Amino acid sequence: GDSVTQMEGPVTLSEEAFLTINCTYTATGYPSLFWYVQYPGEGLQLLLKATKADDKGSNKGFEATYRKETTSFHLEKGSVQVSDSAVYFCALSDGYTDKLIFGTGTRLQVFP
Amino acid sequence: DVKVTQSSRYLVKRTGEKVFLECVQDMDHENMFWYRQDPGLGLRLIYFSYDVKMKEKGDIPEGYSVSREKKERFSLILESASTNQTSMYLCASILQRTGPDTQYFGPGTRLTVL
């Protein structure tokens, strides 16, 4: 079945460092891909999404490109802030239902 | 803005108790979901509903049931709580769609079963 694999955390960075969180997927159809973020004590909220190959999703300085050839959707940010500290989830939707399949989450800790 | 609310942020129950977790959304969304979140496992789908009185099993439905009597409300029921159901429970909703769209999540209920 469909699945999402993302890098284990925690990822620990200093403020203004470059961030990459890797995400790869396995899917039989043409999934849409999402990054959700969970700040401490809160539910998940959508960070960005991409619906087809080569699409780039972006929001709040974060970017991810839907790479069909490598089945990847890596999250990047050029300069992280302390306020970016959160858990990041990569997810896919199979395009036929509304169900999401999530990765295990990656905790990001940014220190001043 | 869409608002998804859950009845409790923290809940402590005893083994064998019947537990109700309530979720309400205010945007007339058709589809609603219940997930549980556990460290190292991410989010796993328990049940979902496409319409009032309709329900579908997700990936881990055992030990749970759901109720959707009104469009805006989706309840998760633990018939007889067990310690392995200690977890964070997240509700989500989405407008029925013809293309990929965003699920909106509630803040979560952290349930501890003693």
Side-chain angles (χ1 to χ4, degrees), chain B residues 3-4 10 18 34 42 45 48 50 55 58 61 63 66 78-79 81 83 87-88 100 108-109:
Chain B
K3 194 168 175 87
V4 180
Y10 300 93
K18 190 168 186 176
W34 274 107
L45 182 63
F48 59 105
Y50 286 133
K55 60 184 179 184
V66 291
L78 286 66
E79 295 290 342
T83 55
S87 186
M88 171 72 89
T109 296

Side-chain angles (χ1 to χ4, degrees), chain A residues 18-95:
Chain A
F18 184 86
L19 167 72
T20 300
I21 300 178
N22 290 338
C23 171
T24 57
Y25 67 90
T26 302
T28 52
Y30 301 92
S32 294
L33 301 174
F34 303 80
W35 277 101
Y36 279 82
V37 59
Q38 184 179 36
Y39 297 104
E42 299 183 13
L44 276 70
Q45 55 185 274
L46 179 70
L47 181 60
L48 54 85
K49 66 181 181 184
T51 59
K52 61 184 188 295
D54 300 325
D55 266 4
K56 177 186 283 189
S58 61
N59 186 26
K60 300 182 181 180
F62 291 89
E63 292 184 340
T65 300
Y66 188 164
R67 301 278 188 207
K68 190 168 167 55
E69 64 275 14
T70 55
T71 61
S72 65
F73 193 55
H74 304 321
L75 182 69
E76 296 182 336
K77 187 175 186 183
S79 176
V80 294
Q81 305 300 312
V82 173
S83 57
D84 293 327
S85 298
V87 181
Y88 292 82
F89 290 92
C90 185
L92 69 81
S93 173
D94 63 13

Side-chain angles (χ1 to χ4, degrees), chain B residues 17-113:
Chain B
E17 281 193 78
K18 190 168 186 176
V19 182
F20 292 86
L21 303 182
E22 304 284 338
C23 175
V24 177
Q25 49 91 7
D26 66 356
M27 282 300 291
D28 206 34
H29 285 177
E30 280 86 1
N31 301 348
M32 297 186 73
F33 304 81
W34 274 107
Y35 297 90
R36 64 177 282 177
Q37 180 182 5
D38 299 290
L41 296 176
L43 276 75
R44 293 178 292 167
L45 182 63
I46 304 171
Y47 265 98
F48 59 105
S49 169
Y50 286 133
D51 202 351
V52 174
K53 297 192 186 295
M54 294 186 68
K55 60 184 179 184
E56 298 279 346
K57 292 180 179 179
D59 300 318
I60 52 163
E62 297 78 18
Y64 303 94
S65 62
V66 291
S67 172
R68 191 146 181 223
E69 296 296 320
K70 293 184 178 181
K71 191 176 186 180
E72 67 271 18
R73 187 180 298 269
F74 191 35
S75 302
L76 180 69
I77 304 158
L78 286 66
E79 295 290 342
S80 177
S82 63
T83 55
N84 64 11
Q85 292 178 310
T86 291
S87 186
M88 171 72 89
Y89 290 88
L90 292 165
C91 174
S93 73
I94 189 171
L95 186 66
Q96 189 175 20
R97 56 157 178 82
T98 56
D101 210 332
T102 304
Q103 285 195 15
Y104 293 89
F105 284 81
T109 296
R110 185 166 293 283
L111 172 66
T112 302
V113 182

Side-chain angles (χ1 to χ4, degrees), chain A residues 84-107:
Chain A
D84 293 327
S85 298
V87 181
Y88 292 82
F89 290 92
C90 185
L92 69 81
S93 173
D94 63 13
Y96 300 102
T97 70
D98 289 318
K99 292 191 289 183
L100 287 173
I101 296 170
F102 286 88
T104 53
T106 302
R107 181 175 299 278

